[in-house]
Amino acid sequence: MTTTGTERASGTAQHVADSHDLIRVRGARENNLKDVSVEIPKRRLTVFTGVSGSGKSSLVFDTIAAESQRMINETYSAFVQGFMPTLARPDVDVLEGLTTAILVDQERMGANARSTVGTVTDANAMLRILFSRLGRPHIGSPQAFSFNIPTVRGSGSITVERGDGKAVTAEFSQLGGMCPRCEGMGTVSDIDLTQLYDDRKSLAEGALTVPGYNAEGWMVRIFSESGFLDPDKPIRDYTEAELHDFLYKEPTKVRLQSINMTYEGLIPKIQKSFLSKDREAMQPHIRAFVERAVTFKPCPECGGTRLSEGARSSKIRGISIADACAMQISDLAEWVRDLDEPSVAPLLSTLRQILDSFVEIGLGYLSLERPSGTLSGGEAQRTKMIRHLGSSLTDVTYVFDEPTVGLHPHDIQRMNRLLLQLRDKGNTVLVVEHKPEAIAIADHVVDLGPGAGSAGGEVVFEGTVDGLRGSGTLTGRHLDDRATLKSSTRTPTGALEVRGASANNLQGVDVDIPLGVLTVVTGVAGSGKSSLIHGSVAGRDGVVSVDQGAIRGSRRSNPATYTGMLEPIRKAFAKANGVKPALFSANSEGACPNCNGAGVIYTDLGPMASVASTCEVCEGRRFDASVLEYRFGGRDISEVLGMPVSEAESFFGTGESRIPAAHAVLRRLADVGLGYISLGQPLTTLSGGERQRLKLATRMGEQGQVYVLDEPTTGLHLADVEQLLGLLDRLVASGRSVIVIEHHQAVMAHADWIIDLGPGAGHDGGRIVFEGTPADLVGGRTTLTGQHLADYVGR
């Protein structure tokens, strides 16, 4: 047996294969990173901190995780890679010691309407096996309990080859659990035909009002040129047969201009293209159409359970699989724990572990039948985490994006334990985080800064948590910040009455929400905060609601286009130069003809990753050279879009370049802490917290008397929370009422009035457990929130 030199020198020396204990990054330049070099210890928990926009996500997600995923993708065949997203190599000199990276981010789950909490965590799969073994009456295999598998029968259609050479005809059947009426969706839809077309018009006149069905488009041309319909006849004049072909005809092959196409009635087309998708994942205008045109109601046959009668009839101790999936997970965990069947002991053990993980991570209030698309970003991230807790993989790099989002201080302690559990299995855990409670458990800290945007992108500290405290960086100085309770609170000017609120888990809540003050609604995750505010307050007249829904934008969308600020800027450029406003849009007439206004050229290299390179004609400025000759205030349009918000605010605020409409938007962007982002920065490069505040700044321009904000501290650095509190104070001082759903203790301490829900989550919550001032909440210490806030303010 041979030994390495290291081992010969000492019998206890480390094997050379065990010496790869660091992830080394050299010269990272993604986005705003300035030749960043770091060494991250493997099999340890490293937290990345810094103000929003300092470069944390650029280093962790866009450099380390992106290169790991790109290299894994390259191990697949060229054929498989053709179906995978193409990833360019990050702008970095050296990356060494990478392991397989698993991203556990806050992206919403389940664009598929059939996806539930149970299906994405394998809990459903285990329950199906359990019921197929123990359910009485016995009805079949696990697929007989799956709402995604239909029952199929075939007679005389299968030939079975026997060993004796004789062929026999056999019957085929597959027993699935899908409800035949709703096809496993749980709901049936009623479509309002008046929202699909104007029957006074013909197809040629643009009768169809469905998004994407333009008179010149292929969708309408199939109807017009199929030969089944007269394109010039008003729809109200169709015969019964024509109307049936128009609305309900089954798929039929037709030939249009020498191209084979499939003709299908309008109703099944809409059901396939719109109604089979998760409504929450739809583009806003598509979702608005669906909500306007379609009424959803529980399936009368399965009662919304998605399952066939047979699947619902088989029970274990009086409980069907539909009953089990409808239970609150904490209750289901107790029910499974009471089952003692030696024949399925390993299965029960694994199922108990998954369900207990839900409870431990603070999601015990969910049910397995909950559509995954309805989960918040924080709930989605924690649900993904459960999949990995039971994983057999080790020496993996797990990457988390603010796992404490949406968590009450009580729940953050649980989250910390689970992060440490992942680390102790031998994994490298990288966490982007702002909460001091989460930073405190780090083995290693990387602090980026010193500022945001172009003022950031540098590593300002690397070391232990204690070292960070004494480092003098912005994070280090604010790490031990503790808010103080206000010495006096504002007097309400009225009240919003809520009576008998019973949405989701609310238990007939009656509450008066004071007006003219800053009200904070708090409570553990799942206690009913969002149900109360979004269900009973947000829809009222004069209420402006800013929720946590993601901003959906393409590579061409940027803060200037999203906020509407680009419109007055374009008009000002056009007026000053005597030309059309369309010239000053990179998506219209002013676009560079070489890159079509994208600023980069995407080169498709077949099976390899496509490469993005700066356009050589416009040099990334996105506009035609002739457009850049026009100036306003001494700058061309590309220079204006390259300005950070703080600079643009002064540029458009005074002098010959003054544009009041643009200046008002810029002032709001600066107020929410986005002074460092540039006007033309693609929305796809903004972090979750930056997008949230961009939405807040946009909605602040609306004329409303009551503002409802859902966790506005998401993605905010400790130092930025103070700026947010100043913004909330200014809103109240201007005569508005502000209602904030929040877990951050600094916001609670700053409130004039607190409404605390609980005492627990799910059916253990849904009640008001405290109403009053922060001082009274701290003084009483009667609720979980009161106890944590008292500890936070040092009482």
Side-chain angles (χ1 to χ4, degrees):
M1 185 178 78
T2 59
T3 59
T4 65
T6 311
E7 289 176 304
R8 281 196 295 270
S10 169
T12 59
Q14 184 186 44
H15 191 288
V16 68
D18 297 324
S19 64
H20 305 283
D21 54 358
L22 292 173
I23 296 174
R24 294 181 176 86
V25 181
R26 296 278 183 274
R29 292 177 295 275
E30 275 296 308
N31 300 325
N32 68 328
L33 296 179
K34 299 172 181 174
D35 275 322
V36 164
S37 298
V38 291
E39 292 188 345
I40 301 163
K42 287 186 182 178
R43 295 171 287 280
R44 297 292 183 270
L45 194 155
T46 300
V47 173
F48 295 79
T49 65
V51 296
S52 188
S54 60
K56 304 182 299 298
S57 295
S58 297
L59 177 58
V60 179
F61 289 95
D62 299 340
T63 303
I64 298 172
E67 178 64 0
S68 173
Q69 289 197 316
R70 187 184 73 85
M71 297 184 77
I72 290 169
N73 287 1
E74 288 186 353
T75 66
Y76 296 107
S77 68
F79 174 76
V80 172
Q81 288 185 48
F83 295 96
M84 302 174 74
T86 53
L87 302 169
R89 188 183 188 281
D91 189 1
V92 59
D93 293 334
V94 177
L95 273 173
E96 293 179 341
L98 292 182
T99 68
T100 302
I102 296 177
L103 272 64
V104 190
D105 56 23
Q106 293 181 43
E107 289 300 312
R108 285 170 32 79
M109 299 172 69
N112 190 324
R114 298 183 184 278
S115 176
T116 66
V117 169
T119 61
V120 299
T121 57
D122 289 339
N124 259 54
M126 293 181 187
L127 273 179
R128 293 198 297 270
I129 297 171
L130 186 68
F131 274 85
S132 72
R133 303 277 183 84
L134 304 181
R136 293 292 177 270
H138 175 76
I139 62 166
S141 67
Q143 66 186 15
F145 295 91
S146 171
F147 55 75
N148 285 327
I149 298 178
T151 294
V152 179
R153 292 186 179 89
S155 179
S157 57
I158 294 180
T159 300
V160 180
E161 298 289 346
R162 293 275 179 87
D164 56 9
K166 295 180 180 179
V168 297
T169 304
E171 290 190 354
F172 168 76
S173 67
Q174 170 186 278
L175 181 63
M178 177 186 289
C179 169
R181 171 73 187 277
C182 64
E183 297 184 347
M185 302 295 284
T187 59
V188 291
S189 55
D190 183 17
I191 300 176
D192 182 358
L193 297 181
T194 63
Q195 297 293 331
L196 306 186
Y197 57 84
D198 182 348
D199 65 358
R200 297 168 300 178
K201 296 180 179 179
S202 67
L203 292 173
E205 292 171 329
L208 291 179
T209 55
V210 180
Y213 284 64
N214 304 316
E216 301 81 21
W218 269 109
M219 301 295 247
V220 176
R221 286 180 62 186
I222 294 175
F223 284 108
S224 302
E225 302 173 23
S226 64
F228 299 119
L229 307 171
D230 181 349
D232 298 314
K233 181 194 289 189
I235 293 176
R236 61 167 53 164
D237 295 336
Y238 281 5
T239 65
E240 189 173 330
E242 284 177 322
L243 192 61
H244 178 271
D245 286 346
F246 173 53
L247 293 177
Y248 303 108
K249 192 172 183 66
E250 64 279 357
T252 306
K253 294 292 183 185
V254 295
R255 194 164 179 81
L256 305 181
Q257 298 178 357
S258 303
I259 302 173
N260 290 324
M261 306 287 286
T262 300
Y263 177 93
E264 188 175 23
L266 183 61
I267 297 299
K269 258 186 186 299
I270 287 174
Q271 287 173 331
K272 289 177 183 176
S273 59
F274 294 141
L275 305 189
S276 63
K277 297 176 182 176
D278 173 26
R279 270 176 285 168
E280 297 298 317
M282 292 176 178
Q283 292 177 292
H285 71 289
I286 300 290
R287 187 168 60 214
F289 161 74
V290 170
E291 290 173 350
R292 186 173 65 246
V294 186
T295 302
F296 295 91
K297 56 186 177 184
C299 173
E301 191 163 313
C302 67
T305 63
R306 306 172 180 237
L307 292 162
S308 65
E309 184 179 359
R312 302 195 308 272
S313 68
S314 183
K315 299 184 177 182
I316 301 174
R317 296 187 183 180
I319 298 292
S320 70
I321 190 169
D323 298 329
C325 290
M327 282 185 190
Q328 186 166 299
I329 288 175
S330 56
D331 295 338
L332 180 60
E334 290 298 325
W335 181 75
V336 171
R337 195 170 288 113
D338 289 339
L339 295 178
D340 185 17
E341 295 290 340
S343 62
V344 288
L347 176 69
L348 284 173
S349 175
T350 307
L351 182 56
R352 287 180 192 125
Q353 186 178 357
I354 289 179
L355 297 175
D356 287 342
S357 294
F358 270 105
V359 177
E360 182 66 21
I361 210 166
L363 293 177
Y365 58 88
L366 297 177
S367 64
L368 294 182
E369 69 176 8
R370 170 90 173 260
S372 55
T374 65
L375 300 179
S376 69
E379 288 171 334
Q381 182 169 221
R382 297 199 293 283
T383 300
K384 293 173 192 173
M385 188 175 181
I386 287 168
R387 288 192 305 202
H388 300 300
L389 286 171
S391 171
S392 304
L393 295 172
T394 60
D395 229 338
V396 169
T397 299
Y398 285 100
V399 184
F400 291 89
D401 184 12
E402 281 197 82
T404 60
V405 164
L407 285 184
H408 188 273
H410 172 70
D411 297 318
I412 291 177
Q413 297 170 356
R414 294 173 169 182
M415 172 60 74
N416 284 348
R417 285 199 296 271
L418 293 170
L419 290 173
L420 293 172
Q421 186 180 325
L422 274 177
R423 177 203 66 184
D424 293 344
K425 284 177 63 177
N427 298 305
T428 304
V429 181
L430 309 182
V431 183
V432 174
E433 191 51 83
H434 293 294
K435 294 278 179 65
E437 302 97 319
I439 296 172
I441 65 166
D443 301 307
H444 188 71
V445 178
V446 177
D447 190 18
L448 285 101
S454 59
E458 301 173 33
V459 173
V460 292
F461 173 80
E462 201 177 348
T464 64
V465 177
D466 286 338
L468 177 65
R469 282 195 172 91
S471 66
T473 67
L474 195 62
T475 306
R477 294 198 305 271
H478 288 274
L479 192 59
D480 293 318
D481 277 2
R482 294 295 179 266
T484 56
L485 297 175
K486 291 162 75 170
S487 56
S488 62
T489 55
R490 302 178 184 94
T491 303
T493 57
L496 267 179
E497 292 186 358
V498 176
R499 295 291 179 266
S502 55
N504 299 325
N505 67 327
L506 295 177
Q507 301 180 23
V509 168
D510 296 335
V511 64
D512 291 336
I513 302 173
L515 296 175
V517 298
L518 173 60
T519 302
V520 172
V521 181
T522 187
V524 296
S527 60
K529 304 180 298 298
S530 295
S531 299
L532 175 64
I533 300 304
H534 292 303
S536 300
V537 177
R540 301 189 184 190
D541 290 339
V543 176
V544 176
S545 177
V546 184
D547 60 21
Q548 291 189 53
I551 295 172
R552 291 179 181 87
S554 69
R555 283 191 292 241
R556 293 176 176 271
S557 301
N558 54 52
T561 58
Y562 179 79
T563 60
M565 182 201 329
L566 187 59
E567 193 63 26
I569 292 175
R570 287 169 51 205
K571 287 180 178 177
F573 263 91
K575 185 177 180 181
N577 293 280
V579 292
K580 292 189 297 185
L583 284 175
F584 303 99
S585 170
N587 299 326
S588 187
E589 295 180 27
C592 165
N594 189 52
C595 64
N596 294 320
V600 293
I601 301 289
Y602 293 95
T603 306
D604 187 3
L605 300 178
M608 298 172 63
S610 60
V611 175
S613 55
T614 303
C615 174
E616 295 178 357
V617 176
C618 68
E619 297 180 337
R621 288 186 291 229
R622 304 176 61 193
F623 291 89
D624 186 77
S626 61
V627 175
L628 299 181
E629 294 176 5
Y630 299 117
R631 297 190 166 258
F632 176 75
R635 307 220 181 184
D636 64 42
I637 186 66
S638 70
E639 289 172 336
V640 166
L641 291 175
M643 279 196 267
V645 166
S646 54
E647 182 183 342
E649 185 186 5
S650 58
F651 178 77
F652 290 117
T654 57
E656 61 177 16
S657 59
R658 183 172 176 268
I659 305 177
H663 183 258
V665 176
L666 290 162
R667 188 171 63 247
R668 294 198 300 270
L669 288 171
D671 278 346
V672 298
L674 293 178
Y676 58 89
I677 66 171
S678 63
L679 306 192
Q681 184 173 340
L683 290 188
T684 51
T685 66
L686 299 183
S687 68
E690 289 167 337
R691 294 187 190 195
Q692 187 73 36
R693 280 173 283 143
L694 177 62
K695 183 190 288 190
L696 172 59
T698 306
R699 301 300 301 275
M700 278 169 56
E702 299 179 17
Q703 294 303 312
Q705 289 305 306
V706 180
Y707 280 84
V708 172
L709 309 181
D710 194 348
E711 290 197 71
T713 60
T714 298
L716 277 185
H717 186 265
L718 300 162
D720 295 327
V721 173
E722 195 172 324
Q723 182 177 1
L724 174 71
L725 294 176
L727 170 63
L728 299 180
D729 280 340
R730 287 196 296 277
L731 281 173
V732 175
S734 68
R736 270 65 171 266
S737 305
V738 179
I739 302 169
V740 181
I741 301 171
E742 190 55 82
H743 291 116
H744 202 294
Q745 294 103 318
V747 181
M748 294 182 205
H750 199 73
D752 298 304
W753 193 258
I754 286 185
I755 298 172
D756 194 16
L757 280 92
H763 60 55
D764 296 323
R767 298 191 294 275
I768 303 288
V769 293
F770 175 83
E771 291 179 78
T773 64
D776 291 339
L777 178 64
V778 167
R781 280 177 170 259
T782 55
T783 70
L784 275 174
T785 306
Q787 294 162 18
H788 282 277
L789 185 57
D791 293 339
Y792 182 82
V793 298
R795 293 289 181 91

